Amino acid sequence: PPPGGPFSGSRNAMNKYAILLRGVMPTGRNRVPMAELRVALSKAGLLDVQTYIQSGNVIAQTELTQSSLEALVHEVILREIGADLVVIARTHAQLKQVMAGNPFPLSAAPRTYFSLLSAPAPAHLTEALAQLDFSPDSVHIGPDALYTLYATKHSDSKFNNNFFERKLKVPATTRNFNTLSRLVELSA
């Protein structure tokens, strides 16, 4: 953004972020063409913009703070592409911390999913969620992510991103083990 713009004064050291878009779909109102997104974010001032798969994963460098970056990306996508999406940005260190918090064995990686929260959930809602019986799935609640081990497939469970958002009243976005692992690598 140009000096004196809406995000001036909200800068820090150069960081590489993984930017996760919630609800990107291949068609419909939340369709976000990755090539168009890369161009729009580069024009908005982000550096070394790259995307990973078609489900709304961006890697970019910026001096913006995390919250300013999330606001900028949301605004650019809304203005340039017309999609109103939740944007969650995390640094390499933050993503590594999420991966390190995974309580499930590596042998369960194909059935392990991470739901990253846009903000900490209220304690009373987190406590209420922890009291639920998730059988046959397993859910572990971390400070900024939920870890879910599905008994069969993610798509077979009612314990999905929408369910967690309704219970915690906080926007979230979910990635599988392989995608989050790759984002950790790309954000290094």
Side-chain angles (χ1 to χ4, degrees):
F7 300 103
S8 62
S10 57
R11 296 184 181 276
N12 58 16
M14 185 67 69
N15 272 312
K16 191 180 238 186
Y17 286 93
I19 304 163
L20 311 173
L21 310 179
R22 193 247 188 263
V24 170
M25 305 300 274
T27 61
R29 70 178 185 157
N30 285 342
R31 182 176 174 275
V32 179
M34 294 298 113
E36 191 176 330
L37 178 62
R38 286 190 300 272
V39 169
L41 293 177
S42 294
K43 285 182 180 178
L46 301 184
L47 304 174
D48 301 322
V49 178
Q50 58 181 307
T51 54
Y52 175 66
I53 62 178
Q54 295 296 313
S55 59
N57 303 293
V58 180
I59 303 294
Q61 291 188 46
T62 183
E63 291 179 351
L64 292 174
T65 62
Q66 182 175 329
S67 60
S68 294
L69 173 62
E70 290 168 344
L72 173 70
V73 172
H74 177 268
E75 188 177 291
V76 167
I77 292 171
L78 185 60
R79 183 182 65 238
E80 300 294 326
I81 299 172
D84 187 7
L85 304 171
V86 170
V87 176
I88 298 175
R90 296 291 184 264
T91 64
H92 173 73
Q94 290 169 322
L95 285 182
K96 277 181 61 174
Q97 187 174 351
V98 169
M99 289 296 288
N102 177 16
F104 304 118
L106 193 54
S107 61
R111 296 179 291 118
T112 302
Y113 286 74
F114 304 82
S115 298
L116 284 80
L117 306 176
S118 64
H124 71 284
L125 295 178
T126 301
E127 291 165 11
L129 183 68
Q131 299 304 311
L132 296 178
D133 178 8
F134 294 103
S135 299
D137 303 323
S138 298
V139 176
H140 173 78
I141 303 168
D144 60 353
L146 302 176
Y147 303 87
T148 308
L149 176 60
Y150 292 99
T152 56
K153 296 186 301 190
H154 175 261
S155 59
D156 290 342
S157 179
K158 69 177 182 179
F159 305 116
N160 57 32
N161 198 83
N162 291 337
F163 175 85
F164 296 136
E165 285 181 326
R166 280 192 308 273
K167 292 295 183 184
L168 296 176
K169 309 289 188 229
V170 173
T173 190
T174 299
R175 299 297 185 272
N176 65 30
F177 184 93
N178 288 342
T179 299
L180 200 64
S181 296
R182 185 69 178 129
L183 293 174
V184 169
E185 291 172 16
L186 292 170
S187 65

